[in-house]
Amino acid sequence: MVTLTNTAVDGSVRVASRALLEPGSQAQVVSICGVDALCFYRLDAAEHARRERSSAAPLVHMADLESLLALPVGISVPMDTLGPEERRAVRALPAGASERSRKTVARQAVRPVHVDLAVVRAASLRQGLEKAGRFAPFCRRAVLLDRKPARLDEALVEADFYGIGVFVASGRDVELALEPEEYRPPRHTAAAWWFVEDLYQRLRSASAF
């Protein structure tokens, strides 16, 4: 049984993924979205350093992220231009997310991580498509199959329909059989930002950076 925490297989997936990744991409196996996934990501070093300097609190609440998305980054917004509910939400933002005075507020927080690809392991294509599909709102995704399906062409057609890439393991080697489609979010959402924040905290716990 292939596992993403097998060092040889993990390394083979990284090698096979090179053409899909942006320069500087790192990888870490994390438990997220209810599955173990090999996540390829790029840390926003400036944002990470800012949070460390300011001892910023984790951003774990959707309401806080929605409030931040409504504010421009680094630009002071007069508090009196906000509605009563917006002012209450701004005042409740976690430490380090914004700079606030009695009259103005300026958003500081941005996404600390950019996610390039999530790879999940599966014994069957159907299982893999279900697991990888959980990442559809957030990033490119792919499945690592334990072995080559008997009807590989049909399997690739089905995976391609969902935009999910396919890696196939053979011993310690891994082949990229189908590239995942590009991730093109229609808009920035609090849910997508929450996923990034969740991943960021898991990477910090794993001492990934």
Side-chain angles (χ1 to χ4, degrees), residues 30-161:
V30 295
S31 180
I32 193 168
C33 292
V35 298
D36 288 339
L38 178 62
C39 290
F40 292 88
Y41 67 93
R42 287 167 289 128
L43 178 69
D44 185 325
E47 174 63 3
H48 175 62
R50 186 196 68 78
R51 294 189 183 200
E52 292 291 296
R53 287 194 306 270
S54 62
S55 299
L59 288 167
V60 296
H61 298 297
M62 199 77 72
D64 292 333
L65 297 173
E66 289 172 347
S67 296
L68 289 169
L69 280 174
L71 297 172
V73 180
I75 299 176
S76 294
V77 175
M79 294 288 278
D80 60 11
T81 64
L82 305 177
E85 290 188 8
E86 292 173 312
R87 287 196 294 272
R88 282 194 293 271
V90 162
R91 293 188 180 107
L93 286 172
S98 66
E99 287 187 356
R100 192 176 70 249
S101 68
R102 190 170 61 84
K103 293 185 176 181
T104 65
V105 59
R107 170 182 156 193
Q108 299 298 307
V110 297
R111 298 186 188 198
V113 168
H114 305 276
V115 187
D116 292 328
L117 176 68
V119 182
V120 300
R121 182 205 64 80
S124 69
L125 179 69
R126 188 56 52 85
Q127 180 190 60
L129 294 181
E130 188 278 324
K131 289 182 176 181
R134 302 180 193 186
F135 296 89
F138 312 125
C139 61
R140 294 179 96 178
R141 64 260 196 246
V143 57
L144 168 63
L145 296 176
D146 290 354
R147 60 186 63 86
K148 184 178 292 187
R151 298 177 178 176
L152 179 60
D153 290 344
E154 292 181 12
L156 297 183
V157 168
E158 184 175 1
D160 187 54
F161 177 80

